[in-house]
Structure formats: structure tokens, C-alpha cells
Amino acid sequence: MLTIQVITCISVVVAVVAMIAKAIRYITAPQGMRWELYPVPHEKGRAEYGGSYLEELDWWTKKRETDTFNELKEMFTEIVLLKGVFHNNKKVWVSSFPFHFGMYLCIGWLGLLLVGAVMNIFDMPVGAEAPGILGQLVHWGTLVTGYPGLILSGLGALGLLIWRAGDKGQRRYNAPIDYFNLVFFVAMAAVTLVATYQTDQSFGILRSYIG
């Protein structure tokens, strides 16, 4: 168990360091060009026809008006629903959407496991029969995000793997790492589902491990 804990801690540290390094790389990279793609969703009153504040005469002398709601709506439909993939390649969207949505659920699942682990450390019970409403919410939230997240991400990864291997036009663009990543996701989801169903259906053991 100690070895597994050490590997887990090292993995978390490596992941955090890698993300910080990549963020620094993006921030310090030279800006080679303007990255304005049209239509710009935060352009107030112009997004529908693809306009920009740059079309106005003497635009630099005028106050720029933005539409935050429309920008957030566009981000939601693109990031969560994969609108661009749906409109351009529905065949890929059928597998890509459950894969990504399942991953979002898994992120929430891990977050709730962490919250539950902290609650256990402070002697706050987590479970269906927990005396506090928070313990019950964390318990059911963990189940609602965990199982659907693992199932959707696993099935989505399997669908993407079949598409990459079976589509003649796509195969020429595939790298070995693409296959490895998808196989890894399928195996991870399958092993986790089997293990939890057999020994830890409420994720209590996993929550204790995180604690």
C-alpha cells in the first residue's frame, strides 16, 4: 500500500509541475499574429454576421463593447457539447461527445472523492445514511458522476479507437500514441468499473485511500 501511495503522490506532483510548465510556455511564447477568428462571440451586436469592432471608423477612439453572456454561451456549446465537431463530422461526434463528457464527469467524480476524503478526516460521515445532508449529497453525487463518467468515457474511447483504426482516410494521420492513449482509456475505465463493482460499489474504499 505504501508503494502505491508513493506512486500516487509522485504522479500528482509530476502532473502539477507539467501543467505549470506548459502554462509558462504559453504565457512566455512570442505573439506571432492576431488570433482573431470570426465570428467573434464576444462582439456585441456583431457576432451573428461575423463583424468586429475593427470595422468601425476610428475604432481606437471608441469604447469597446463586449457581450459576456454570448461568449460564455459559445464556450459552453463548443467545450461541453462539441458543437463544431457535431456540425462538421457527426460520425466522430457520436464517439467524441460521450468520451469528453464522460471525462468531465470523471473530473467531478474525483473532486467529490477528494471532498469526501477531507470530510472523513474531520470525522464527517459520507454515505446514504449519513446524519448530515452534506454527507448524503457527496455520496450520491460521487455515484452519479463516477459510474456514468467511467462508462461514457470508456465507450467513447472505444468508439474513437474503432473509428481511427477503421477509417481509411483517418489511418494515415494516426500516430502510435493515438492508439495507445485510447486503449489506455478503455482499459482504465473497464478495470475501474469491474474493481469497484466487485469490492467498492459506493467508492468508500477509494475515498478512504484518497484520505
Side-chain angles (χ1 to χ4, degrees), residues 92-121:
V92 177
W93 183 87
V94 170
S95 298
S96 186
F97 171 71
F99 173 70
H100 286 89
F101 191 73
M103 292 301 296
Y104 298 149
L105 289 177
C106 285
I107 292 172
W109 171 56
L110 292 174
L112 288 170
L113 284 172
L114 179 60
V115 171
V118 173
M119 290 176 64
N120 286 341
I121 291 174

